[in-house]
Amino acid sequence: MRATKQGVVVLSCSDPRLNPYQVLGIDATLKATMVRNAGGRVLDAIRTLAILQTIGNPGTIVVMHHTDCGMTHFHDDAIKKALIEVAPGEKESIEGSKFGEIAGSVLEDLALLRASPLIKKTTQIVGLKYDIHTGVLTQVHESKSEL
């Protein structure tokens, strides 16, 4: 990735095997900010992404999930059950989430970004999946919302 007029925010998993700078070939000229969490999920990062858009005005948000993610080693039902026990008031949101399937989770996260009133409608949103074993990076979906 190289410099553009506006910067980019990359949301990815906190797995130490995944180095977004290296995977995306980000050079020093690019205004890039990294946001990382378990699974690289938008639901956990939406507040941070909204604040970064307010203070830094990035034109692109990249959501990158990867194969062999720790989140994929657990069944959705088990994760959902455990989360609902911790936060029963969030049952509807938890039940509507995917935790273990990559292409579906990227698409779900892109839809959350597009639907969020906190994300600028002019933002270019890009979804990627990265194969941790082969190094292959595949675009899952791209959307540019317009006012």
Side-chain angles (χ1 to χ4, degrees):
M1 291 183 119
R2 296 175 198 222
T4 61
K5 280 184 164 181
Q6 294 181 311
V8 61
V9 176
V10 178
L11 171 62
S12 67
C13 184
S14 56
D15 187 321
R17 298 172 298 164
L18 180 65
N19 180 340
Y21 291 97
Q22 184 178 28
V23 169
L24 298 172
I26 295 174
D27 68 28
T29 66
L30 185 65
K31 298 177 197 171
T33 300
M34 298 296 154
V35 176
R36 300 180 78 178
N37 65 34
R41 298 309 307 263
V42 166
L43 184 62
D44 300 330
I46 197 78
R47 177 186 164 276
T48 299
L49 294 170
I51 291 168
L52 289 171
Q53 277 206 314
T54 301
I55 63 174
N57 198 28
T60 303
I61 297 174
V62 175
V63 176
M64 182 170 60
H65 295 184
H66 68 92
T67 59
D68 198 34
C69 179
M71 296 294 290
T72 64
H73 295 277
F74 300 92
H75 295 297
D76 268 9
D77 291 340
I79 294 172
K80 288 177 184 181
K81 182 180 177 185
L83 289 174
I84 290 168
E85 286 177 15
V86 171
E90 298 297 317
K91 182 177 181 178
E92 185 176 328
S93 172
I94 292 167
E95 287 181 342
S97 296
K98 291 181 176 69
F99 296 96
E101 192 271 312
I102 295 174
S105 65
V106 172
L107 291 173
E108 180 181 280
D109 281 357
L110 298 178
L112 279 172
L113 283 173
R114 285 193 301 273
S116 175
L118 299 173
I119 301 300
K120 295 176 182 178
K121 299 304 177 199
T122 55
T123 303
Q124 179 183 31
I125 300 170
V126 179
L128 303 172
K129 69 175 183 176
Y130 177 68
D131 187 313
I132 205 111
H133 301 294
T134 66
V136 173
L137 186 65
T138 307
Q139 186 171 333
V140 174
H141 185 72
E142 181 175 339
S143 172
K144 182 169 182 174
S145 301
E146 297 180 16
L147 294 174

